[in-house]
Amino acid sequence: DIQMTQSPSSMSASLGDRVTITCQASQDIGNNLIWFQQKPGKSPRPMIYYATNLANGVPSRFSGSRSGSDYSLTISSLESEDMADYHCLQYKQYPYTFGAGTKLELK
Amino acid sequence: EVQLVETGGGLVQPGKSLKLTCATSGFTFSTAWMHWVRQSPEKRLEWIARIKDKSNNYATDYVESVKGRFTISRDDSKSSVYLQMNSLKEEDTATYYCIYGGLYWGQGVMVTVSS
């Protein structure tokens, strides 16, 4: 199975900060990766698909990038509504696998 | 508007069975590949099953932890996908989500396995 190593597991940041979360894939997944945002009591919301594409309705301060086997989600200027859990998912190969998640909190 | 609504969750004893239903609307269900994903109480997400469409012979795939115990199926006439869960274990306790296209998720249904 493809392992997705997500870091950090948690982080605190201030409003306006630039924030980056990373998932490292244990095998080649091409760009077959989705980033999700999840708030308490809600279903995961897709933010970025195919590693770099912004999903419908997602603010432009969110972006996705890839460097080799490392995939990153970046928030250019943190807003209060961005406090949430973030998950990555690889859909290159079955079984699809998720990262362990990142909890983003306000400093 | 794409909608997915899961039902059928609840409290069940270890070793028992439960069947989840996901009713869908807003897209062409008959050609859609459908998935189930679960989220543990610790918030860890796990993909558990997928079913392809008729043109792909309704082929299924499962994560190892549920193989032989869970069965994904579909009824195109009802635009619904199902998850039959047998021989349930306490570690199957989770919120179960139905997913279309990776981008559309239902609201989730809770399953608690406990004596």
Side-chain angles (χ1 to χ4, degrees):
Chain A
D1 297 359
I2 296 175
Q3 307 302 318
M4 301 300 296
T5 303
Q6 186 170 344
S7 61
S9 57
S10 66
M11 66 180 300
S12 59
S14 301
L15 298 180
D17 281 355
R18 182 181 181 88
V19 169
T20 298
I21 299 166
T22 299
C23 275
Q24 183 178 69
S26 63
Q27 300 174 37
D28 176 50
I29 61 169
N31 277 356
N32 296 291
L33 182 120
I34 301 174
W35 286 100
F36 295 94
Q37 177 193 69
Q38 188 177 25
K39 295 185 177 180
K42 299 292 187 182
S43 303
R45 171 195 179 191
M47 305 299 280
I48 301 289
Y49 66 95
Y50 205 58
T52 62
N53 295 276
L54 208 61
N56 285 345
V58 174
S60 59
R61 63 182 179 274
F62 288 88
S63 64
S65 63
R66 173 190 177 186
S67 176
S69 62
D70 291 338
Y71 297 80
S72 296
L73 172 71
T74 297
I75 308 171
S76 60
S77 181
L78 195 65
E79 298 194 8
S80 57
E81 66 186 38
D82 302 335
M83 303 309 150
D85 294 335
Y86 291 85
H87 308 270
C88 66
L89 166 69
Q90 71 78 18
Y91 58 98
K92 171 68 173 178
Q93 178 186 113
Y94 292 110
Y96 292 174
T97 44
F98 289 86
T102 295
K103 187 174 188 65
L104 178 57
E105 297 175 309
L106 195 58
K107 186 182 291 183
Chain B
E1 180 191 5
V2 173
Q3 289 196 325
L4 305 99
V5 178
E6 303 96 336
T7 57
L11 173 64
V12 62
Q13 293 179 329
K16 300 295 188 181
S17 299
L18 205 60
K19 186 174 184 177
L20 305 181
T21 297
C22 173
T24 76
S25 61
F27 61 99
T28 305
F29 182 83
S30 61
T31 59
W33 294 14
M34 300 298 298
H35 305 255
W36 286 96
V37 164
R38 65 185 179 185
Q39 186 168 37
S40 69
E42 297 76 29
K43 302 305 180 187
R44 186 69 186 254
L45 287 162
E46 181 181 39
W47 174 90
I48 54 175
R50 180 229 67 226
I51 187 166
K52 295 184 179 181
D53 63 347
K54 183 178 181 179
S55 69
N56 287 282
N57 297 314
Y58 301 122
T60 58
D61 265 297
Y62 299 91
V63 71
E64 194 64 35
S65 60
V66 308
K67 275 182 186 175
R69 299 189 300 122
F70 289 13
T71 302
I72 187 172
S73 62
R74 62 192 292 160
D75 185 339
D76 290 348
S77 70
K78 295 183 178 180
S79 296
S80 294
V81 61
Y82 308 97
L83 188 68
Q84 176 67 46
M85 304 185 292
N86 299 332
S87 302
L88 282 160
K89 306 175 181 180
E90 291 190 350
E91 52 263 42
D92 295 319
T93 294
T95 297
Y96 286 73
Y97 294 99
C98 166
I99 297 167
Y100 160 56
L103 300 182
Y104 298 96
W105 292 53
Q107 84 286 353
V109 63
M110 287 190 63
V111 173
T112 303
V113 184
S114 174
S115 53

